[in-house]
Amino acid sequence: MKLGWDLRVSLDRYLTSWKREDDPSLGDFTYGFELEGLPQKFLRKYNSKVIQRSGPWEGTRFSGLGMSSLSTIRPSFVQTPDEVYYTYNVSNKSTITRTVLSHTGSLQRCLWSDQNLEWSVTYSIPNDACDEYGKCGPNAICTINSPRICSCLTGYIPKSPLDWSALGWSEGCVKKNPSSCPGKEGFRKLKGVKVPDMLQFWINTSMSLKECRDKCLSNCSCSAYSVTDIEGRGSGCLIWYGDLIDMRQLNEFSSNQNVFIRVTASDLGDDIELPMLNFVAIAKATDNFSYLNKIGEGGFGPVYRGQLPNGKEIAVKRLSENSRQGSDEFKNEALFIARLQHRNLVKLLGCCIDGEERMLIYEYMPNGSLNSYIFDTLLTANSLVWRRRFDIIVGVARGLLYLHRDSRLRIIHRDLKASNVLLDSEMNPKISDFGMARAVGGDQMLEKTMRVVGTYGYMSPENAIDGIFSTKSDVFSFGVLVLEIISGRKNRAFRHPDHNFNLLGHPWKLWLEGKAFELIDEKMEDSFAVSEVMRCIQIGLLCVQRHPEDRPSMASVILMLDSQSAMLPQPKQLGFFDERNHEDVDYSLSNEMTITQIEGR
């Protein structure tokens, strides 16, 4: 069987339905190839109204059709200067199959049963609600396994919010913000989708993907672009103008079709193409978000361990309905971490936006969070020797320095704590959770907010009391973390029988009494450089001083950690060192002190 065109004689081979079940005269429905743009198969009624569209060929099938029918047939697509057609062979020579276009407009794959002596329908088109042409209207995408199958593309909102909320999707979506063209705009990558119908388009089969992107960006009417050679080298250029119609998220991992949707800078943030993973793929990777794969829970929601088909392990943060964070924090974290590359920052692999679902997909950290290692008695005793603790302190410091000084954006994390430091397979620390982070430009390193965020016990006084935050707020949190790592005790849970000081006040008291070594975790091994630990205690105390201007920058902290001979200033008054009684006790020393002697404990 051939379905398609013989271009030499302008012969179009297509299917036509019967008029009725018992009337073989020409019916209302046709199914055949159309050659505008990339060749596609269309199911039409009255030769005009589109019922279903196949999408272009992507190597093993037409991109908009499912894999179900491939168990009995091996389809192929031929495109030459003389012919453009579709055909197939059966997978098993004993199989008897046929394709029927019914009088009701259903294209059916039928299989003959020798046992029952009858035909059975194994696959039909339309197969589901998303097969319906333009189901979600313009500028929207259909995802069959989503609770609400239609969602607007990034940068678009429902044209009729009332109809949309009542599951009336036909009017589709319109741009949320006016175009900033020819200003700064970018593209959001949609992975594994059926491309929009080619109503207004431009095509060039020799362009590279970058040339295609530049071509689209230079024309303010361009809505999206993609490659034409889906099954080969990923080259060629297909550009859409105006509304984008009849897109759907594909369920199978094998789909190679990606579309780059044009969005304004305000919708995307500095032209980032963040990989988009579909909901079905993530559900499969996590065994449908199995409780057995749940590895944590935070303000964002639950975190699941998963594995992609290629064997790569991932961590999936899924925004919960009652999350303390929301879509703004989700977008904030996605855009920040996507722009950051450092060995001491967790790596974002992609995200998933599917209806109300919001997920971030990270590299999996097999050793979990630092929180469990320094506060869990069993893990601490077996794993965190001093050298490892010191390396973690240095790694976190380097990650913060990158955020504050060396990244393209100058970023204040605002929620640094032990549970937001993850450990890879070699126990290298990686800072995570950028939902509360803020970027500050140039010399603008001090800001005030009406919404105080952070974790009590790690927040600096000026942030907790006045809502003022700066890089020195992160330095304060880092100081708390250093003291926790050295002592193996949690600031907020610290209790001492002889006084009411917390974990900041306790080492401060010991420091003034010349007994700072008593802070060292008793579970650490017996042999280590006491002077190095004492130096880190002093650095921790310098970082948690009450006044921001007294705290060192992270660049100075790195210098202090790297050089045993550098002079360290003496700590001054600490902030929040007596949380329970709030006594204003003035402990102060003025001499500088440096420790260089290496001793055994």
Side-chain angles (χ1 to χ4, degrees):
M1 183 200 82
K2 284 185 178 181
L3 190 69
W5 287 81
D6 185 333
L7 301 175
R8 294 165 295 191
V9 293
S10 298
L11 173 64
D12 180 16
R13 308 180 189 93
Y14 60 92
L15 300 179
T16 302
S17 69
W18 285 14
K19 188 73 173 178
R20 290 184 299 274
E21 189 174 10
D22 57 354
D23 182 355
S25 61
L26 294 181
D28 298 332
F29 298 93
T30 59
Y31 188 69
F33 259 108
E34 298 182 16
L35 304 182
E36 285 290 316
L38 299 178
Q40 304 176 88
K41 295 186 291 183
F42 282 83
L43 175 60
R44 290 183 179 269
K45 186 175 184 180
Y46 308 131
N47 283 322
S48 57
K49 180 182 178 181
V50 179
I51 305 299
Q52 195 272 343
R53 177 180 66 96
S54 70
W57 181 258
E58 65 162 30
T60 58
R61 59 174 178 142
F62 290 91
S63 66
L65 303 181
M67 302 284 285
S68 305
S69 62
L70 301 187
S71 58
T72 57
I73 63 170
R74 294 194 303 272
S76 60
F77 172 64
V78 176
Q79 184 172 16
T80 70
D82 295 331
E83 290 186 287
V84 179
Y85 66 88
Y86 161 82
T87 188
Y88 65 85
N89 294 309
V90 293
S91 301
N92 189 322
K93 291 184 178 180
S94 64
T95 299
I96 301 175
T97 182
R98 67 177 183 176
T99 302
V100 176
L101 180 57
S102 74
H103 70 284
T104 59
S106 174
L107 185 75
Q108 301 170 343
R109 167 70 56 193
C110 300
L111 192 65
W112 177 255
S113 171
D114 288 330
Q115 182 177 357
N116 299 325
L117 299 178
E118 64 180 7
W119 293 99
S120 61
V121 177
T122 61
Y123 184 76
S124 63
I125 298 173
N127 186 54
D128 56 42
C130 287
D131 269 349
E132 180 183 332
Y133 182 82
K135 175 69 176 179
C136 298
N139 310 310
I141 188 166
C142 190
T143 306
I144 195 60
N145 291 318
S146 177
R148 298 172 63 89
I149 63 173
C150 291
S151 57
C152 292
L153 298 175
T154 299
Y156 293 81
I157 57 175
K159 183 177 181 180
S160 175
L162 287 178
D163 289 344
W164 196 268
S165 62
L167 309 186
W169 295 304
S170 60
E171 292 192 26
C173 306
V174 294
K175 280 190 176 292
K176 179 172 61 176
N177 298 311
S179 172
S180 55
C181 187
K184 190 170 181 60
E185 294 190 332
F187 297 92
R188 171 59 60 86
K189 181 179 180 180
L190 292 184
K191 185 175 176 61
V193 297
K194 181 170 79 170
V195 302
D197 196 4
M198 283 155 259
L199 302 177
Q200 301 179 62
F201 68 95
W202 181 87
I203 193 168
N204 181 301
T205 57
S206 61
M207 274 187 169
S208 68
L209 185 63
K210 183 181 185 305
E211 290 171 332
C212 188
R213 180 187 187 279
D214 294 342
K215 173 77 174 177
C216 182
L217 203 58
S218 67
N219 188 324
C220 293
S221 299
C222 175
S223 305
Y225 74 93
S226 184
V227 300
T228 58
D229 183 16
I230 306 169
E231 58 178 307
R233 297 170 299 170
S235 60
C237 180
L238 178 59
I239 284 177
W240 287 267
Y241 304 103
D243 288 334
L244 304 172
I245 306 291
D246 194 39
M247 296 185 69
R248 75 168 290 169
Q249 186 71 57
L250 303 176
N251 295 337
E252 289 80 14
F253 291 108
S254 60
S255 175
N256 299 318
Q257 185 66 72
N258 304 320
V259 177
F260 297 85
I261 307 297
R262 186 181 196 137
V263 295
T264 62
S266 60
D267 291 319
L268 186 58
D270 284 352
D271 191 17
I272 297 170
E273 293 174 2
L274 187 64
M276 298 289 289
L277 286 77
N278 69 62
F279 179 84
V280 176
I282 301 304
K284 287 183 178 179
T286 58
D287 193 17
N288 202 26
F289 305 100
S290 166
Y291 178 79
L292 296 177
N293 284 327
K294 186 176 178 181
I295 56 176
E297 179 104 25
F300 189 97
V303 182
Y304 298 91
R305 179 180 179 177
Q307 188 175 58
L308 297 176
N310 62 6
K312 186 176 184 62
E313 289 190 303
I314 57 174
V316 179
K317 291 177 65 173
R318 188 183 191 188
L319 182 67
S320 63
E321 292 182 0
N322 57 352
S323 169
R324 297 193 302 273
Q325 298 184 26
S327 58
D328 288 343
E329 285 81 2
F330 171 87
K331 181 179 179 182
N332 195 62
E333 178 160 5
L335 294 181
F336 273 141
I337 196 67
R339 282 176 277 187
L340 303 173
Q341 295 290 333
H342 191 272
R343 68 188 305 269
N344 295 117
L345 303 183
V346 69
K347 183 178 180 181
L348 180 66
L349 302 178
C351 69
C352 175
I353 302 175
D354 188 334
E356 299 300 315
E357 288 284 356
R358 299 287 187 273
M359 287 180 279
L360 294 173
I361 295 86
Y362 287 96
E363 58 178 338
Y364 175 65
M365 296 286 104
N367 281 312
S369 73
L370 176 62
N371 193 67
S372 60
Y373 278 85
I374 58 176
F375 303 138
D376 185 299
T377 303
L378 181 60
L379 288 176
T380 304
N382 293 335
S383 301
L384 283 189
V385 297
W386 168 246
R387 179 46 48 190
R388 187 159 282 165
R389 297 186 197 219
F390 181 75
D391 289 344
I392 290 172
I393 290 171
V394 173
V396 174
R398 293 191 185 281
L400 276 182
L401 176 60
Y402 170 79
L403 294 177
H404 292 177
R405 190 190 70 180
D406 298 333
S407 64
R408 185 155 58 99
L409 297 172
R410 305 184 76 176
I411 292 174
I412 303 170
H413 188 279
R414 297 209 298 168
D415 198 22
L416 181 68
K417 55 185 175 181
S419 59
N420 284 341
V421 176
L422 304 181
L423 303 170
D424 68 11
S425 58
E426 297 179 352
M427 297 296 286
N428 295 309
K430 295 179 183 285
I431 300 171
S432 68
D433 199 341
F434 286 76
M436 302 299 175
R438 282 285 190 90
V440 290
D443 296 327
Q444 182 190 2
M445 299 304 288
L446 190 70
E447 289 198 6
K448 185 168 184 177
T449 178
M450 297 298 293
R451 181 189 176 201
V452 177
V453 299
T455 301
Y456 196 45
Y458 292 91
M459 295 170 64
S460 64
E462 70 276 8
N463 186 17
I465 297 172
D466 299 317
I468 296 174
F469 64 91
S470 67
T471 55
K472 296 299 183 72
S473 307
D474 280 351
V475 172
F476 186 94
S477 302
F478 173 77
V480 176
L481 185 62
V482 169
L483 297 175
E484 289 183 331
I485 291 173
I486 294 171
S487 67
R489 306 287 295 275
K490 194 169 188 175
N491 184 23
R492 290 289 295 145
F494 181 82
R495 295 292 185 273
H496 195 281
D498 299 333
H499 58 70
N500 289 321
F501 294 137
N502 61 14
L503 190 58
L504 306 190
H506 178 60
W508 177 231
K509 179 177 182 294
L510 293 176
W511 182 266
L512 296 176
E513 295 173 352
K515 301 177 182 178
F517 62 88
E518 293 184 9
L519 182 69
I520 299 172
D521 190 349
E522 295 178 353
K523 296 184 292 295
M524 278 204 297
E525 80 285 14
D526 291 334
S527 179
F528 56 85
V530 173
S531 62
E532 189 174 58
V533 182
M534 295 287 287
R535 189 176 185 84
C536 286
I537 293 174
Q538 187 173 356
I539 292 171
L541 292 174
L542 288 170
C543 290
V544 296
Q545 294 177 103
R546 172 181 292 179
H547 301 294
E549 60 271 19
D550 291 332
R551 300 171 206 150
S553 66
M554 289 312 302
S556 297
V557 169
I558 291 293
L559 181 62
M560 295 176 191
L561 290 169
D562 286 347
S563 174
Q564 289 294 315
S565 60
M567 293 288 290
L568 270 61
Q570 187 66 33
K572 299 178 183 178
Q573 179 78 46
L574 271 59
F576 287 159
F577 65 86
D578 184 4
E579 292 172 322
R580 285 172 284 283
N581 288 344
H582 298 283
E583 296 176 358
D584 189 10
V585 182
D586 184 15
Y587 291 103
S588 61
L589 291 173
S590 58
N591 296 329
E592 288 192 339
M593 179 178 183
T594 182
I595 302 174
T596 57
Q597 183 180 359
I598 305 297
E599 299 178 8
R601 185 181 179 196

